[in-house]
Each structure stands twice: as structure tokens, then as C-alpha cells.
Amino acid sequence: MSNDGKILADVVKNVHKRLRQEFFKTGDMESVWTNHCKNVSCLKKYASSMHKLATEHWEQLRISNPATSRINWTWSFLQYYFFAGGLQLHRHKSNSDAEWPKLVLKEQKITVLDVGSCYNPFEEYEELDVLSIDLCPAIESVYQCDFLKVTLGMSTVIDGQNVLSLATNQFHCIVFSFLLEYFPSPSQRWTCCEKAHLLLLREGILIIITPDSKAAHSNARVMRSWREALSAIGFKRIKYEKLQHAHCMAFRKNSVEPELNDEDRELLTSKMYIPQDFYYPSDSENDEKDEIKFTEAELAEGFTNLPMFDE
């Protein structure tokens, strides 16, 4: 990546770091997030940096090496699942109840909610009917919405450029691309996934893409923990692939959201961790050198998550 690209990436990473610092110091997730959402100058700088980083730097990589692109990966999976027999295959594998309502594509369009979209990268695909939302949109085709706080109801309500509510059981696909690691707390990541489950149609797909430039097995324990947490919500992971710079996962909504007691919910929420949650994010440039240590058994388990491993 060029020097300009590194500067832009540092802007993004530093925002994440500051959020973790504040949460570590105060332990008050609500106030940290509220204050962050009020910091308009920070939000705009983040959005501008992410937009430029994605469209000018990552797009060059996408053109030169399409296999590295999270956008290409998502579109390829949606084609497979909705248009090339994937839905029917997984319905058969799961012994789906015959009374399940069939997923119907209106005018052959896949309804997609792209959360944390920034610049609406899926707009180019005619087969997708995309609602793109972001805390601070970089372009006009993305609507402003705090996904953590937005109301869920019977209908999606948009006022100007602001999403006031989202309809449950409405979307064929929800995309969390480089979203969950933004949040400093596992409980916020859990909340996002719970909301996604409510917003998806049954048999719909949640796409989660999270950055990681290490080898596929390096953070296998993290990916396994997320899979366990999402399974408890009512999602089954049906696709995993490690790209050069990201983990790409597709989860299928298999059931209604189960009822969990407080103890189970707390345990499952804690499973939505990222490695950075376990050390204090200092101001040092080398503060992210620490890594979670793995046993030999865990390393071995990681090799089942090699690229193109179908579950």
C-alpha cells in the first residue's frame, strides 16, 4: 500500500483504538458510544478516510487481484445461494420444515441491508435491491443510521437521509463488512447480530467480513467463538473463506431467535470478542503486537478453516 493509503488506514485504526481506550478506562459502553456519535468532526474524517481508502486503494487491488476483494466474495456467494441452487441445497441439508415460507425474490432482486456501508459498494449490481446505512455516510446514496440504536418495527421508515426504523423479517441478506471490529465491546457486536436475525427473512443470509492479514489458522479460535455465539442466536455458518486480508463468513438464519436466560446471554455475548479486547490499547505504534496464544490442538483446529472450506 502507498504512503497515502497507510495514512488513511491509520486514521481508521486510530478511531477504533480511541474507542477501546475510552471503554477500557470507563467501562461505560453507553457513554463512550454516545460521545463518539456526537463527535461529528471525527465521524466525518473517518468516513472520508474509509471512502478514499476503499475506492482508491482497495479498488486497485480488486482490479489487479479480484480474489482479494470482499465485495467480489459477497456477490459471488449471493449468486450461488439465491440463483445457483445454494438455497435449495442448504434447505435439504437442514431438513427444513415443510411449512417454512419459501423465500421469494421480488422482480428477481435480492433485498440487501448493507450496515456500515460508507460508500454503497453493492450499488453496481442490478440484481441487488440495496439499502445502505452508515453512522456517517460518505456519499448521498447511503442513509444515516446508528444500527445499534435504530428501532425495529413493522415497517422501514426513512425521513430524508435518515433511517428512523427498520422492518423485521424484510431482508434476504444483511452485510456486516468491516463493521463488528469497529465496536469496542463484545456486547455491541452481539446486539448487531441479534438485530440482524430479527431483520432477516427465514433462510436469509448474514454476511460477516472482518479484517485479518495473518494466516488462516492464526485467529481460528476467534472465528470459532463467533460461530458458537451466532449459533445460539439462530444462525448456522454455511460458508467460510480466508482471503488475503479478511475472514469472510456466510451465516444462514435457520430458526426463530431462542429465548436465553441472563447467564447464558452473558456467556454468549462474551464470545463475540476480538484479540484487541484483551490488552490495553496504548498510544504506542506497536500496541497491537500482542497476540492470543494457541495450543497445538487449537492450531490443528484452525487448519479446518483453510480457504474454500465448505461446511
Side-chain angles (χ1 to χ4, degrees):
M1 185 183 292
S2 67
N3 187 58
D4 180 54
K6 291 179 180 177
I7 292 172
L8 294 170
D10 283 342
V11 170
V12 171
K13 289 191 292 185
N14 285 337
V15 170
H16 297 174
K17 183 194 297 183
R18 284 195 296 272
L19 281 169
R20 294 197 304 272
Q21 285 176 329
E22 291 302 314
F23 179 55
F24 190 92
K25 290 176 183 177
T26 67
D28 188 344
M29 176 186 65
E30 292 296 328
S31 65
V32 169
W33 187 249
T34 298
N35 291 335
H36 175 64
C37 293
K38 291 179 180 178
N39 192 340
V40 177
S41 62
C42 173
L43 295 178
K44 287 184 175 180
K45 185 176 181 180
Y46 182 98
S48 175
S49 298
M50 179 61 82
H51 183 207
K52 189 174 181 181
L53 183 65
T55 58
E56 296 185 12
H57 298 274
W58 294 347
E59 188 62 22
Q60 290 180 6
L61 182 60
R62 180 188 181 190
I63 294 171
S64 63
N65 188 357
T68 65
S69 169
R70 73 196 195 284
I71 307 302
N72 289 356
W73 188 92
T74 300
W75 170 233
S76 177
F77 181 81
L78 292 182
Q79 283 183 301
Y80 152 74
Y81 187 76
F82 289 103
F83 299 129
L87 171 59
Q88 290 75 19
L89 174 64
H90 289 286
R91 178 178 288 158
H92 178 72
K93 282 184 175 180
S94 65
N95 296 316
S96 298
D97 190 323
E99 296 181 358
W100 280 19
K102 303 296 184 183
L103 275 183
V104 177
L105 302 183
K106 295 181 179 178
E107 299 178 353
Q108 290 300 300
K109 295 271 190 176
I110 303 169
T111 55
V112 177
L113 178 65
D114 185 13
V115 184
S117 177
C118 181
Y119 67 102
N120 199 5
F122 297 103
E123 186 178 28
E124 65 182 274
Y125 300 108
E126 294 182 357
E127 296 88 345
L128 304 182
D129 179 11
V130 185
L131 174 58
S132 296
I133 63 175
D134 198 284
L135 190 60
C136 183
I139 62 174
E140 289 186 359
S141 64
V142 180
Y143 292 88
Q144 196 284 326
C145 179
D146 180 356
F147 190 67
L148 280 176
K149 302 296 184 181
V150 69
T151 300
L152 306 189
M154 296 295 293
S155 62
T156 294
V157 179
I158 299 175
D159 181 12
Q161 288 298 113
N162 301 304
V163 175
L164 304 183
S165 69
L166 292 168
T168 57
N169 300 301
Q170 174 174 324
F171 298 97
H172 295 110
C173 173
I174 294 177
V175 178
F176 290 168
S177 181
F178 292 4
L179 172 77
L180 296 180
E181 60 281 345
Y182 187 124
F183 302 108
S185 164
S187 64
Q188 292 171 314
R189 302 173 202 131
W190 168 269
T191 296
C192 285
C193 295
E194 275 194 314
K195 281 193 165 184
H197 193 273
L198 293 171
L199 292 167
L200 280 169
L201 290 159
R202 199 166 185 179
E203 299 186 288
I205 295 294
L206 171 61
I207 298 289
I208 297 180
I209 301 175
T210 189
D212 188 355
S213 295
K214 297 184 177 67
H217 67 272
S218 298
N219 283 312
R221 185 164 66 179
V222 180
M223 296 300 97
R224 183 179 62 190
S225 185
W226 285 20
R227 183 177 62 187
E228 291 172 354
L230 285 161
S231 176
I233 292 174
F235 284 112
K236 178 177 175 56
R237 196 175 76 180
I238 61 173
K239 187 68 177 179
Y240 170 90
E241 186 173 355
K242 177 64 173 69
L243 302 188
Q244 183 178 356
H245 300 294
H247 298 275
C248 299
M249 295 164 280
F251 294 85
R252 182 173 183 265
K253 178 177 176 178
N254 279 346
S255 64
V256 297
E257 188 174 5
E259 294 185 6
L260 301 170
N261 59 43
D262 291 342
E263 184 177 349
D264 288 340
R265 181 177 293 275
E266 183 177 356
L267 174 62
L268 291 164
T269 296
S270 69
K271 289 181 177 291
M272 295 299 299
Y273 68 86
I274 59 176
Q276 294 91 330
D277 291 343
F278 293 96
Y279 58 87
Y280 177 71
S282 68
D283 294 325
S284 167
E285 293 183 357
N286 298 317
D287 71 325
E288 298 195 9
K289 64 182 180 180
D290 299 332
E291 298 180 1
I292 298 176
K293 302 302 181 182
F294 298 94
T295 66
E296 290 185 4
E298 287 164 341
L299 285 172
E301 190 275 343
F303 282 101
T304 65
N305 284 334
L306 287 173
M308 297 306 295
F309 177 76
D310 283 303
E311 301 185 35

